[in-house]
Amino acid sequence: MATAGKVIKCRAAICWGPHQPLTIEEIEVAPPKDHEVRIKILATAICHTDTLPMEGMVTNYNYPSILGHEGAGIVESVGPGVTDIKPGDKVIPLCFPVCGLCRCCKHPNANTCDRIDGGKYIGLMADGTSRFTCKGKLIHNFLTSSTFTEYTVVADIACAKIDDHVALDRACLIGCGFTTGYGSAVNAANVKKGSTCVVYGLGGVGLSTVIGCKINGASRIIGIDINKEKFVKAKKLGATDCIDPNDCSKPIHEVIAEMTDGGADYSFECIGNVDTMLSAIKCSHYGFGVCVIIGVAASDARICIDPILLLTGRTVKGAFIGGYKCKTAIPQLVTEYLAKKFEMEELVTHTMPFEKIMDGFKLLHEGKSIRTVLNLHGGKKC
Ligand code: PAD
Ligand code: ZN
């Protein structure tokens, strides 16, 4: 493409610091270096995780930064050494890269590659520099992806080529929210047919967990949320019961124990609150229950747990992005989506142009949206 090898000027939403709105600015995006890919982002969704740096909930976060990690686009150019991706490919940037070389990448059950930025939040490329500048300032990236920008640069190990036939304004959800919930059910927990599942939090991640539980044949799926408006979609997607803990006279885990003959086979925390994490652990049945922690809490939050909950045989595990090795799993999920193995339409409640990004966050905070998809570059259909 004509822009290959040149600096691209484009628009990005910058997070200058905590408790400040993102502002749309003109930025410079440098060409990709060795093993890097520059992507024209066409669509990105807003995920709850994007709010953590905005609300100052990440200790030692490196501002200013371009957030967004649930995006999809088309490769504009690639740097030297990139062999599996070429200009024109449809791709999803990966917030969980796969270097293929570290112990986790070589382990069949792990997806926390040494090169992930989650938890570290360094926000720079592998060589310690950034490809983004704005008003003469270095701008950090977010979760090895940064999708609130018309162009981003990611490592080739953080970029997955996807089927050319998929619409990018839906494929973007597979970059994080859908994959996180769905994969937590079908992969991390591997929900068994006929089992009882409890899903705490019915946002984009929780509803995707419901979809996964249903596809794996759970016979009972109990959704928990303090916002009853979320119950309509949850039921449509497979929840058999929905409960607002505020309507209960006893703690919700006790209510669930009564409803499920002592506790659930599987519970999933999709909120990011340590109190609901503890409740999710408690509501899983002793002896065999499995609790998967998915929500991301503030860096300094802690769960205080009575060890007897574990000694009695529960399994508590956590999973980022459904426990998947994303480089291979994400293209596979896109293919399964095209084959109509699952639907994602119910997850998209709003679509708007990029410059309305703060309206999208407002809807999320007000509990009015599941996923808002932002169209970049004037919303050209791809
Ligand atoms: P969301 O804000 O769309 O949904 C959260 C839901 O939880 C909302 O429906 C709320 O009403 C509900 N809720 C809030 N507090 C309570 C409460 N005390 N009791 C019951 N319900 C409550 O967020 P989301 O679905 O985008 O993300 C959910 C979490 O998952 C969030 O913590 C996010 O950071 C995390 C996440 N984790 C991963 C991962 O890889 N593990 C990926 C993406 C998102
Ligand atoms: Zn690795």
Side-chain angles (χ1 to χ4, degrees):
M1 292 193 192
T3 45
K6 297 180 186 153
V7 170
I8 292 179
K9 288 190 181 205
C10 67
R11 294 183 312 159
I14 308 285
C15 179
W16 294 103
H19 311 294
Q20 296 174 39
L22 307 183
T23 58
I24 305 269
E25 310 280 356
E26 184 180 83
I27 63 160
E28 296 84 34
V29 183
K33 292 191 183 176
D34 283 5
H35 287 282
E36 293 177 2
V37 180
R38 188 159 62 181
I39 306 166
K40 181 177 186 179
I41 298 290
L42 271 299
T44 179
I46 296 175
C47 169
H48 194 111
T49 307
D50 295 310
T51 67
L52 300 178
M54 292 170 75
E55 290 171 7
M57 288 167 77
V58 183
T59 314
N60 298 326
Y61 190 80
N62 285 317
Y63 302 95
S65 162
I66 298 175
L67 304 175
H69 60 285
E70 203 169 298
I74 294 179
V75 174
E76 174 269 343
S77 62
V78 300
V82 177
T83 52
D84 60 336
I85 295 157
K86 59 180 188 318
D89 284 348
K90 282 190 178 175
V91 290
I92 291 180
L94 305 179
C95 41
F96 279 80
V98 182
C99 78
L101 303 171
C102 70
R103 282 189 72 190
C104 281
C105 282
K106 287 184 179 158
H107 195 286
N109 301 337
N111 74 341
T112 35
C113 169
D114 280 359
R115 295 276 297 273
I116 60 170
D117 199 40
K120 305 177 194 157
Y121 299 108
I122 295 164
L124 297 171
M125 305 303 285
D127 66 356
T129 63
S130 174
R131 301 294 159 265
F132 302 130
T133 49
C134 177
K135 298 177 182 168
K137 282 204 173 74
L138 179 152
I139 309 292
H140 297 88
N141 66 29
F142 179 53
L143 296 178
T144 63
S145 40
S146 284
T147 58
F148 293 160
T149 172
E150 291 177 323
Y151 286 86
T152 192
V153 179
V154 303
D156 56 357
I157 59 165
C159 186
K161 176 175 162 33
I162 55 171
D163 194 305
D164 209 33
H165 296 97
V166 74
L168 295 179
D169 59 359
R170 293 297 177 269
C172 60
L173 303 184
I174 295 177
C176 178
F178 173 78
T179 302
T180 294
Y182 178 81
S184 295
V186 309
N187 184 51
N190 191 11
V191 164
K192 298 284 177 294
K193 197 168 187 315
S195 60
T196 301
C197 300
V198 180
V199 180
Y200 283 72
L202 300 170
V205 173
L207 291 178
S208 303
T209 307
V210 170
I211 295 173
C213 293
K214 170 126 196 250
I215 283 197
N216 266 24
S219 58
R220 195 156 187 201
I221 304 169
I222 304 171
I224 314 282
D225 205 298
I226 48 173
N227 178 352
K228 289 191 185 61
E229 285 174 27
K230 305 283 172 107
F231 294 172
V232 180
K233 275 187 194 282
K235 289 202 168 152
K236 207 166 168 186
L237 292 171
T240 51
D241 314 73
C242 287
I243 311 172
D244 178 347
N246 294 327
D247 292 345
C248 304
S249 55
K250 40 175 108 163
I252 189 68
H253 65 272
E254 289 181 21
V255 175
I256 291 163
E258 280 173 12
M259 289 170 73
T260 59
D261 190 20
D265 294 297
Y266 303 95
S267 60
F268 301 88
E269 203 276 356
C270 312
I271 300 168
N273 171 322
V274 286
D275 296 331
T276 45
M277 287 177 189
L278 187 55
S279 178
I281 295 168
K282 286 180 178 171
C283 91
S284 63
H285 198 288
Y286 62 82
F288 54 82
V290 175
C291 172
V292 186
I293 304 292
I294 305 167
V296 182
S299 310
D300 57 356
R302 299 290 177 266
I303 310 177
C304 178
I305 186 168
D306 177 351
I308 201 74
L309 288 168
L310 304 177
L311 289 167
T312 43
R314 292 175 179 83
T315 301
V316 180
K317 59 199 293 190
F320 274 130
I321 199 128
Y324 286 123
K325 289 188 193 291
C326 290
K327 185 95 178 171
T328 43
I330 282 191
Q332 176 69 25
L333 286 169
V334 169
T335 304
E336 290 175 7
Y337 168 66
L338 287 171
K340 301 199 182 306
K341 181 170 177 188
F342 51 81
E343 280 286 341
M344 296 191 294
E345 222 43 46
E346 291 293 333
L347 303 177
V348 181
T349 49
H350 299 80
T351 300
M352 49 182 75
F354 182 43
E355 53 273 20
K356 300 268 187 207
I357 185 165
M358 288 312 295
D359 293 354
F361 278 101
K362 188 163 178 275
L363 289 166
L364 177 68
H365 289 304
E366 291 172 349
K368 291 186 178 147
S369 62
I370 300 297
R371 279 298 187 262
T372 295
V373 172
L374 304 168
N375 283 314
L376 295 96
H377 302 278
K380 285 189 203 83
K381 254 302 196 215
C382 280

